[in-house]
Amino acid sequence: MGNWEGVSEFVAVAEAGSFTSAARKLGISTAQVSRQVSALETRLSAKLLYRTTRRVSVTEVGQVYYQHCRQVLDALAEAERAVTDLQQVPRGRLRLTAPVTYGEATLAPLVNDFALRYPDLQVEMELTNQKLDLVAEGYDLAIRLGKLTDSSMMARRLGSRTLYVCASPHYLSTHGEPQSLSELGQHNCLPGTLDYWRFREQGRSRNIRVSGSIRCNSGRALVDAALKGIGIVQLPDYYVDEDLKAGRLVPLLEHYREEDDGIWGIYPHNRHLSPKVRLLLDFLDELIGR
């Protein structure tokens, strides 16, 4: 195995940009990573990395070596997945990522149920609103919401989400109910990350800029503000479903509602779809769609 020593460590450093981050990803000490990479450079008689006190960068020779090593490691990972396929039992590590709120409210309970079915799985779930690089960071699957733009990934639609414009009965009794998109300018609209809301008018999508006394990137905070009668919000169904059913919030401008967004399972285009990923997608497809 001598020829393989240091390869995984070098690739991890090249991708992470630091020995510390690479060590964290590999689950070993920073000193061990450094020793392995130094031994690899000695064996190759080539300098693969530039090291300074602040950062690590890959040399020109290192870039060439990295490209070959990345292909080899990907092929090894593919071989392991093929062996797992032959066993037809989901086992080993399953890494997935999803948006925070949707992950906490909807996805995580389903994934936990899936993990109960297959005790040989080790599930690693990263909830983040950042769009991670699945290939570079070794994820098997990502759950993403809305419209897709990355054509380098395979996508499977698992369900849909509905955007609701709504306000509390107290707000509406005080300020009245908007009947048209033009009337939103007369109301206290509470935007989130974006400063516009999405609608559909006469068969076409339309974005309306909104503003109000509160702007927040947390859907839960905006729900709280709406329940307290501060203003109108536009949020996906998983934030407001229960409050709408209970009458604590009232849906508005329903005839202008935008078409439902997709809930997608995303995985790398060139990656073999292992049984564990396929079974999880089937499981989520059944339950999210329901």
Side-chain angles (χ1 to χ4, degrees):
M1 290 298 293
N3 288 340
W4 288 103
E5 289 182 0
V7 171
S8 295
E9 290 84 354
F10 163 69
V11 169
V13 173
E15 292 177 347
S18 83
F19 283 87
T20 301
S21 298
R24 190 180 303 117
K25 179 180 178 181
L26 296 172
I28 59 179
S29 70
T30 304
Q32 184 176 351
V33 173
S34 181
R35 283 196 301 270
Q36 291 284 58
V37 172
S38 294
L40 176 63
E41 290 179 315
T42 299
R43 191 172 74 246
L44 295 173
S45 299
K47 189 172 186 62
L48 303 176
L49 299 170
Y50 290 120
R51 303 163 175 82
T52 68
T53 55
R54 293 188 175 182
R55 63 190 297 269
V56 175
S57 59
V58 184
T59 66
E60 184 178 357
V61 171
Q63 287 285 1
V64 174
Y65 191 64
Y66 165 77
Q67 295 298 331
H68 287 282
C69 289
R70 180 71 269 172
Q71 292 176 18
V72 170
L73 292 177
D74 287 343
L76 284 173
E78 184 72 15
E80 290 184 7
R81 283 189 288 271
V83 170
T84 301
D85 273 9
L86 291 175
Q87 298 178 61
Q88 291 299 311
V89 177
R91 56 166 50 94
R93 187 174 66 168
L94 174 60
R95 301 190 73 211
L96 69 151
T97 178
V100 176
T101 301
Y102 182 78
E104 290 175 342
T106 302
L107 183 69
L110 298 179
V111 173
N112 291 341
D113 289 340
F114 183 77
L116 283 173
R117 287 191 180 187
Y118 303 104
D120 290 334
L121 276 179
Q122 291 131 24
V123 178
E124 294 181 14
M125 184 161 41
E126 176 80 13
L127 299 183
T128 175
N129 293 329
Q130 297 180 350
K131 289 191 175 181
L132 304 177
D133 187 325
L134 304 190
V135 175
E137 301 188 44
Y139 284 94
D140 299 296
L141 179 68
I143 304 301
R144 291 186 178 159
L145 312 175
K147 295 178 173 59
L148 299 179
T149 57
D150 192 343
S151 60
S152 67
M153 296 287 155
M154 296 295 290
R156 177 170 169 180
R157 185 167 182 141
L158 304 173
S160 60
R161 66 168 184 174
T162 302
L163 283 175
Y164 285 101
V165 176
C166 50
S168 70
H170 173 69
Y171 176 89
L172 297 175
S173 66
T174 303
H175 302 280
E177 179 178 337
Q179 300 298 321
S180 66
L181 299 184
S182 61
E183 291 181 32
L184 285 174
Q186 304 165 25
H187 286 269
N188 193 31
C189 299
L190 312 180
T193 305
L194 305 175
D195 60 358
Y196 62 84
W197 288 352
R198 294 166 47 202
F199 296 96
R200 195 161 192 85
E201 187 176 28
Q202 297 180 347
R204 301 176 119 189
S205 294
R206 184 177 175 191
N207 296 335
I208 302 293
R209 291 193 175 274
V210 295
S211 61
S213 60
I214 293 176
R215 178 173 181 172
C216 184
N217 64 349
S218 165
R220 288 178 175 172
L222 293 176
V223 170
D224 182 72
L227 290 171
K228 291 175 177 174
I230 296 175
I232 302 175
V233 296
Q234 184 183 62
L235 289 167
D237 45 21
Y238 49 86
Y239 283 105
V240 297
D241 264 345
E242 294 303 317
D243 293 311
L244 289 171
K245 291 175 184 175
R248 292 184 293 267
L249 292 174
V250 177
L252 308 172
L253 301 169
E254 288 286 86
H255 50 294
Y256 293 105
R257 186 194 296 167
E258 173 67 298
E259 292 182 348
D260 287 355
D261 287 332
I263 299 171
W264 305 90
I266 306 295
Y267 53 95
H269 193 280
N270 59 351
R271 183 168 294 178
H272 183 72
L273 190 59
S274 65
K276 57 190 175 185
V277 177
R278 186 178 64 251
L279 283 171
L280 178 57
L281 284 171
D282 291 342
F283 183 80
L284 296 176
D285 193 358
E286 178 185 355
L287 296 179
I288 292 175
R290 182 190 307 166

